[in-house]
Amino acid sequence: MFKYFSGMLGLDVGIDLGSSNVVVYVKDKGIVLSEPSAIAMKKLPRGEGFEIIAVGESAKAMSGKVPNGIEAIWPLEGGVIANFDMTQELIRYCLKRVTPNNSFMVQPRVVISIPAEVTEVERKAVIDAALGAGASEAYIAEEPISAALGVGLPIDKPNGCMIIDIGGGTSEVSVISLGGVVVTSSVRNAGKAMDNAIINMVRQRYALLIGESTAEEVKNTIGSALPMEEELEMSVKGRDLSVGLPKSDNVSSVEVREALEPILTEIEDMVKVALEKMPPELAKDVVDRGIVLTGGVALMHGLDERLSRAINTPVIVAEEPLYSVALGVGKILDNLGSMKKRLMSVERGTR
């Protein structure tokens, strides 16, 4: 009886489960949810569990502002689960938001995109979290494949396609041909590491302590990978470490770029490693077609030009870099029947 209702009211949901943001795609509807991957929770006394206070945008707004007893956390780090219970709650929140009338009879099939270079244990943790959150079936899709589909690359043809995905927790570059990942390289340094680098720079130069949200705003507003024609400044407010009082200072785009330099260099090196591993025939295709840059950090000023100079190959920013992976997962959902075997070869769970 339960199987009957689940089938009748079935729902196919795709989730781009990122360290900074979670984006949800529903088959035949498109992207329906995009929120920070944050959760505010309160631990109950005597080890009785926890209470969820807020999820998503409202939880992010609480970061650094919560009273004692409440934590605002990011349950994913480096593209993988750092806190299983909170990740499960995050997925449950997403499924609840997209389920019609929160019907208990609907147990959706879920496809979740995660980085290619993760362990089998990390893959299984994502499957278990999805099933525990209420999915009837859970599948894993490799993030490079999802991103390539999302930007419209012809991944099933015998031609090399190269994509660089720089998100919140992971920077990943992959070469794809005939529907599979031929070469991949990744570093767990990306948007959040950049935020931390800005926090450390401001602390050291100005004895000023700022939070992650402020650092992210600085990165998005005046962050750059190359010198600008006109360098920018931004007023930054925080706590003076010398006297403990509120204080503001002006931070320049030059200072921010210097803080980000080690991370940007590491990303360049990651791309070069992938190019060195690439078969020569695929390298020819990549040079002819160019490399697609996607992920939230792809929007940083001058990043595409810097990478293009470093590897002597055209680099093109995707049209919707924030949503490339989610749009690709949506294409997988549209063809889930024919793509199940490909997904099952990675990991599959059914309850």
Side-chain angles (χ1 to χ4, degrees), residues 37-323:
S37 309
I39 290 187
M41 50 85 71
K42 178 181 180 181
K43 290 184 179 179
L44 300 177
R46 297 184 296 278
E48 295 175 358
F50 54 84
E51 175 187 354
I52 301 299
I53 306 298
V55 182
E57 197 68 56
S58 54
K60 181 182 178 181
M62 295 180 184
S63 181
K65 304 175 184 178
V66 295
N68 289 336
I70 296 178
E71 292 182 73
I73 64 173
W74 303 80
L76 293 118
E77 294 178 7
V80 298
I81 293 175
N83 185 313
F84 181 86
D85 290 336
M86 292 302 103
T87 301
Q88 186 167 283
E89 291 299 326
L90 180 63
I91 297 173
R92 181 177 286 115
Y93 167 81
C94 294
L95 298 183
K96 185 177 179 181
R97 284 283 303 272
V98 303
T99 301
N101 301 319
N102 297 329
S103 173
F104 72 92
M105 293 184 291
V106 179
Q107 283 193 307
R109 295 189 299 177
V110 178
V111 176
I112 299 180
S113 187
I114 62 172
E117 288 195 330
V118 298
T119 66
E120 287 301 317
V121 172
E122 289 166 338
R123 294 178 195 271
K124 188 175 186 305
V126 174
I127 289 286
D128 291 343
L131 296 175
S136 61
E137 297 179 26
Y139 302 86
I140 291 297
E142 291 179 313
E143 203 165 279
I145 297 291
S146 302
L149 285 170
V151 300
L153 293 177
I155 68 169
D156 287 322
K157 295 184 178 180
N159 299 314
C161 304
M162 192 168 187
I163 189 160
I164 304 171
D165 185 359
I166 307 176
T170 306
S171 299
E172 190 167 31
V173 57
S174 300
V175 180
I176 301 166
S177 180
L178 292 172
V181 176
V182 179
V183 175
T184 187
S185 180
S186 67
V187 292
R188 292 190 179 180
N189 259 346
K192 283 188 171 292
M194 293 179 180
D195 297 341
N196 289 331
I198 293 170
I199 290 172
N200 291 333
M201 180 272 292
V202 173
R203 179 192 293 121
Q204 291 169 6
R205 293 201 177 189
Y206 297 98
L208 181 67
L209 184 62
I210 62 173
E212 292 180 3
S213 297
T214 301
E216 183 182 19
E217 184 182 359
V218 171
K219 176 188 70 183
N220 293 338
T221 305
I222 63 173
S224 67
L226 288 174
M228 300 179 174
E229 290 184 9
E230 184 178 344
E231 298 292 352
L232 305 174
E233 279 195 352
M234 179 177 174
S235 176
V236 177
K237 300 174 183 177
R239 176 162 56 86
D240 189 330
L241 289 172
S242 60
V243 296
L245 298 176
K247 172 188 172 183
S248 67
D249 274 301
N250 287 332
V251 175
S252 74
S253 54
V254 175
E255 293 170 317
V256 173
R257 189 164 55 251
E258 289 174 358
L260 300 182
E261 182 61 29
I263 299 170
L264 294 171
T265 300
E266 187 175 8
I267 292 172
E268 281 182 6
D269 292 341
M270 171 196 74
V271 178
K272 290 175 182 177
V273 168
L275 288 169
E276 289 168 2
K277 294 179 181 177
M278 197 190 316
E281 290 301 319
L282 291 181
K284 175 183 177 298
D285 294 337
V286 168
V287 172
D288 290 342
R289 180 176 284 113
I291 300 170
V292 178
L293 178 61
T294 189
V297 181
L299 297 171
M300 178 177 289
H301 173 81
L303 181 57
D304 55 337
E305 185 180 348
R306 173 171 177 154
L307 290 173
S308 181
R309 290 181 187 177
I311 58 179
N312 197 29
T313 305
V315 175
I316 306 133
V317 179
E319 286 188 14
E320 296 184 272
L322 292 169
Y323 302 124

